[in-house]
Structures are given as structure tokens and as C-alpha cells.
């Protein structure tokens, strides 16, 4: 035990090799102590093989098995046959038991490794399937060009938020963005430049909104943003900042000319419903276009749909 403790503490060799070696020594000590009094004491010699099996080390098990067969042969012919006069048949039977046990132990290790590999394969397949589903789900929910949510996902999310607004009196503002003179950009520089402009505007919108806000490509050159954790004045300031930053984007392929957006924004009033919210916001966007573009217009309800400039 002292030797084993010193081995485990100070040896640079593998700890399991130390355990197996100590098991080998202990097994032979036990064997020589009980052999004169108990038949079949040779079974104690299988201890290191069993320890190697516990570690599931195929190489160590094979080495210990071969060493056990050879070493016991030396013990038999050097001691047992001369001193105890044990028959050769008993020696052969013990050796056969050793060999069979080693073979069975190797089979256990092989089957365990096969089971582990199958489990790893199934786990990897499950992970790959989860990744594929996540990618597929993202593709179904996002716009391929801009990376923002698509029209369908936007309406699903808005419906859910409006339900929460009605039940929990949450703040919600809807803003609609439209790129000014986008048709002229396509006609002048080509649709591929138009796609670059769309992506640049979308990147700016996606990068400037809050974590609890929701941005989508509503259609064509139109974008929508839902604000859920801001007051009305904060939402207005956010879209005004977006308008200014979008106008500062450098579009190298579009003659380096500024690309601007017109924005309509509306604060949701309880009981309005989705249709009225959209009508107000769309009217505000239309007013922004009529007022010279590159501006933000705020809509509110007052004796019918009335459009007024905010701030």
C-alpha cells in the first residue's frame, strides 16, 4: 500500500498502470497465502485483469492477459509442479480460464466502444438535425437579402404583441420606413446596386434598434420596426436617429450619393386594433413623402385620422 501511494503521488507514469501493477502484486501475495489451504486459489490472479477491464483499456488488458498467462506458467513449472505436485491438467484448465476471461473482457470493451460510437453518432445526428431545423426555421422567418424578419413573421409577431398590449397595457409603437427614390436607384445603377442599398439600410436598422425591438423587411424597399420598451417620445427619437444615420451611409456603387428614407410612426392606442394602427402609420408615411421625403412624421388619432408633425 505504501508503494502504491508513492507511485500515485510521485510517478510520471499513468496512475492506472500503478493501480494494475499493485493489483498484480497483491493478487500473487493472496495466492501464495491461501494456495496451501484453498483449491482454485489461482482465481485471485485475475485481479489485475479485472482492474484493466474497469479502466476499459484494451491495450492494457491485452498486455496484462498475456503477461498473466506467461507468468503463471513460470509459477506453475517453477513452484507448483515441483513443490505442490499439481497435475498438468489443472495448469491447462487455469490457463484456459485466464484466456477465456481475457477474451470475454476484450469483447466487453469492444462492445462498449461500439455502443459509445453509436451514441456519439446518434448525438451528432441529433445535433445536426437541430442545427438544420434552426437554419430552416431562420430561413422561413427571415428575408434572404437583408437578414431581417420577413413580412409573414412580422405580422405573426405583431399579432402576438397587440394581444399583450390589450391584456397588459404595454407600450408599442410601429414605424414604417420607405427608401426615397428607390426606383430611380434601380433604373440608374441596376438592381444589384439596389440590393446593396437595401442591405446597407437593413444593416443600419438592425444594428441600431434595441434588443426588445423587432425589425422586418415589410416588402420591396419598405421596412417596419416595432418598439416595445420605449415611450412614444423615445421611439420617435430612435427613428429620427435612424433616419439621420441612414442618410450618412456611403453607397460607393450608387455614385456615393446619400440614400434617404421617409418614416411614419404611430403610438398604439388601446382598442385601435391592427388595421387602424397600420392605417395611421401608413398615412404618416405618405405624409412624410408628401413633405419632401427624408423626414419623420408622427400620426395620432383626433376626430378621425389626423396627421401632424411631432417635435
Amino acid at each position: 500500500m505504501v508503494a502504491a501511494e508513492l507511485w500515485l503521488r510521485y510517478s510520471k507514469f499513468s496512475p492506472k498502470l500503478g493501480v494494475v501493477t499493485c493489483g498484480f502484486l497483491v493478487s500473487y501475495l493472496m495466492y501464495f497465502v491461501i494456495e496451501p489451504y484453498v483449491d482454485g486459489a489461482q482465481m485471485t490472479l485475475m485481479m489485475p485483469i479485472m482492474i484493466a477491464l474497469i479502466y476499459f483499456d484494451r491495450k492494457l488488458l491485452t498486455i496484462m492477459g498475456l503477461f498473466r498467462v506467461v507468468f503463471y506458467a513460470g509459477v506453475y513449472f517453477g513452484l507448483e509442479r515441483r513443490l505442490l505436485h499439481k497435475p498438468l491438467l489443472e495448469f491447462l484448465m487455469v490457463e484456459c480460464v485466464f484466456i477465456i476471461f481475457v477474451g470475454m473482457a476484450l469483447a466487453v470493451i469492444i462492445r462498449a466502444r461500439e455502443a459509445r460510437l453509436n451514441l456519439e453518432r446518434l448525438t451528432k445526428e441529433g445535433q445536426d438535425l437541430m442545427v438544420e431545423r434552426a437554419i430552416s426555421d431562420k430561413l422561413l422567418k427571415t428575408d434572404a437579402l437583408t437578414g431581417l424578419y420577413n413580412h409573414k413573421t412580422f405580422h405573426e409577431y405583431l399579432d402576438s404583441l397587440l394581444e399583450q398590449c390589450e391584456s397588459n397595457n404595454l407600450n408599442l409603437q410601429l414605424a414604417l420606413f420607405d427608401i426615397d427614390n428607390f426606383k430611380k436607384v434601380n433604373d440608374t445603377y441596376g438592381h444589384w446596386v439596389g440590393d446593396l442599398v437595401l442591405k446597407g439600410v437593413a444593416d443600419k436598422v438592425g444594428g441600431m434598434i434595441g434588443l426588445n425591438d423587432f425589425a422586418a423587411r415589410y416588402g420591396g424597399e419598405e421596412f417596419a420596426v416595432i418598439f416595445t420598451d420605449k415611450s412614444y417620445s423615445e421611439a420617435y427619437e430612435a427613428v429620427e436617429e435612424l433616419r439621420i444615420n441612414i442618410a450618412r451611409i456611403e453607397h460607393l456603387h450608387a455614385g456615393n450619393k446619400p440614400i434617404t428614407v421617409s418614416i411614419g410612426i404611430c403610438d398604439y392606442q388601446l382598442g385601435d386594433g391592427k388595421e387602424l394602427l397600420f392605417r395611421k402609420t401608413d398615412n404618416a408615411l405618405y405624409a412624410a413623402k408628401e413633405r419632401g421625403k427624408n423626414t419623420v412624421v408622427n400620426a395620432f388619432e383626433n376626430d378621425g385620422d389626423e396627421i401632424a408633425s411631432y417635435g
Side-chain angles (χ1 to χ4, degrees):
M1 294 300 295
V2 171
E5 182 69 19
L6 292 174
W7 181 300
L8 293 175
R9 282 180 178 270
Y10 303 110
S11 176
K12 296 181 180 180
F13 294 99
S14 170
K16 64 183 177 183
L17 182 60
V19 173
V20 171
T21 302
C22 292
F24 175 82
L25 296 175
V26 170
S27 67
Y28 266 94
L29 287 173
M30 292 175 61
Y31 167 71
F32 286 121
V33 169
I34 66 175
E35 170 58 24
Y37 313 103
V38 179
D39 291 333
Q42 296 93 334
M43 295 302 101
T44 60
L45 303 181
M46 289 195 293
M47 183 184 297
I49 301 176
M50 296 174 66
I51 295 174
L53 176 59
I54 292 174
Y55 282 112
F56 276 87
D57 190 324
R58 186 177 176 181
K59 181 178 179 181
L60 182 61
L61 178 62
T62 303
I63 293 173
M64 290 306 303
L66 293 174
F67 183 73
R68 171 65 68 214
V69 170
V70 173
F71 195 86
Y72 178 68
V75 170
Y76 173 78
F77 288 106
L79 298 175
E80 289 185 346
R81 188 177 180 87
R82 294 181 179 181
L83 301 179
L84 302 177
H85 307 291
K86 288 192 175 184
L88 181 61
L89 181 60
E90 181 176 344
F91 162 72
L92 295 176
M93 291 181 62
V94 171
E95 290 284 51
C96 287
V97 170
F98 287 159
I99 294 171
I100 293 173
F101 184 81
V102 170
M104 293 177 64
L106 288 173
V108 169
I109 293 176
I110 293 172
R111 291 301 301 272
R113 289 189 175 180
E114 290 176 353
R116 186 194 67 188
L117 292 175
N118 287 333
L119 180 60
E120 290 176 352
R121 178 179 57 81
L122 291 174
T123 302
K124 187 177 184 304
E125 289 177 356
Q127 292 173 343
D128 292 342
L129 184 59
M130 290 177 63
V131 171
E132 290 176 3
R133 286 180 178 176
I135 294 174
S136 177
D137 186 58
K138 182 178 180 181
L139 291 175
L140 290 174
K141 290 184 176 182
T142 58
D143 176 67
L145 175 63
T146 63
L148 299 179
Y149 288 104
N150 57 29
H151 184 275
K152 178 176 179 294
T153 306
F154 167 77
H155 280 286
E156 291 175 352
Y157 190 70
L158 181 60
D159 289 337
S160 175
L161 284 176
L162 289 178
E163 290 180 5
Q164 295 184 39
C165 286
E166 294 293 343
S167 60
N168 301 316
N169 196 24
L170 298 178
N171 289 331
L172 184 144
Q173 298 84 31
L174 173 64
L176 294 178
F177 296 65
D178 190 88
I179 299 177
D180 298 325
N181 305 315
F182 186 69
K183 184 176 184 304
K184 185 177 179 180
V185 173
N186 279 334
D187 293 341
T188 304
Y189 302 103
H191 288 279
W192 71 277
V193 175
D195 288 346
L196 292 177
V197 170
L198 287 171
K199 193 173 186 312
V201 172
D203 289 343
K204 184 63 68 175
V205 172
M208 291 187 65
I209 63 173
L211 294 176
N212 295 324
D213 302 327
F214 185 94
R217 184 185 180 189
Y218 192 70
E221 68 272 21
E222 193 169 357
F223 300 88
V225 176
I226 303 172
F227 298 100
T228 61
D229 62 349
K230 293 179 174 63
S231 66
Y232 190 46
S233 59
E234 289 173 338
Y236 181 87
E237 291 173 0
V239 295
E240 177 65 20
E241 186 179 1
L242 270 171
R243 181 191 65 79
I244 295 171
N245 280 274
I246 289 172
R248 292 173 177 171
I249 299 175
E250 295 182 359
H251 300 278
L252 300 178
H253 299 285
N256 218 12
K257 296 179 180 178
I259 303 296
T260 62
V261 293
S262 298
I263 305 174
I265 182 171
C266 181
D267 187 33
Y268 180 72
Q269 304 297 315
L270 294 180
D272 278 359
K274 181 178 177 181
E275 183 179 350
L276 184 55
L277 172 64
F278 261 94
R279 188 163 72 244
K280 289 181 184 182
T281 312
D282 201 50
N283 286 340
L285 175 60
Y286 179 78
K289 290 287 189 181
E290 289 294 313
R291 296 182 185 186
K293 305 176 182 178
N294 189 25
T295 188
V296 179
V297 170
N298 149 41
F300 64 90
E301 186 71 14
N302 184 17
D303 295 330
D305 293 340
E306 181 180 355
I307 306 301
S309 178
Y310 184 84

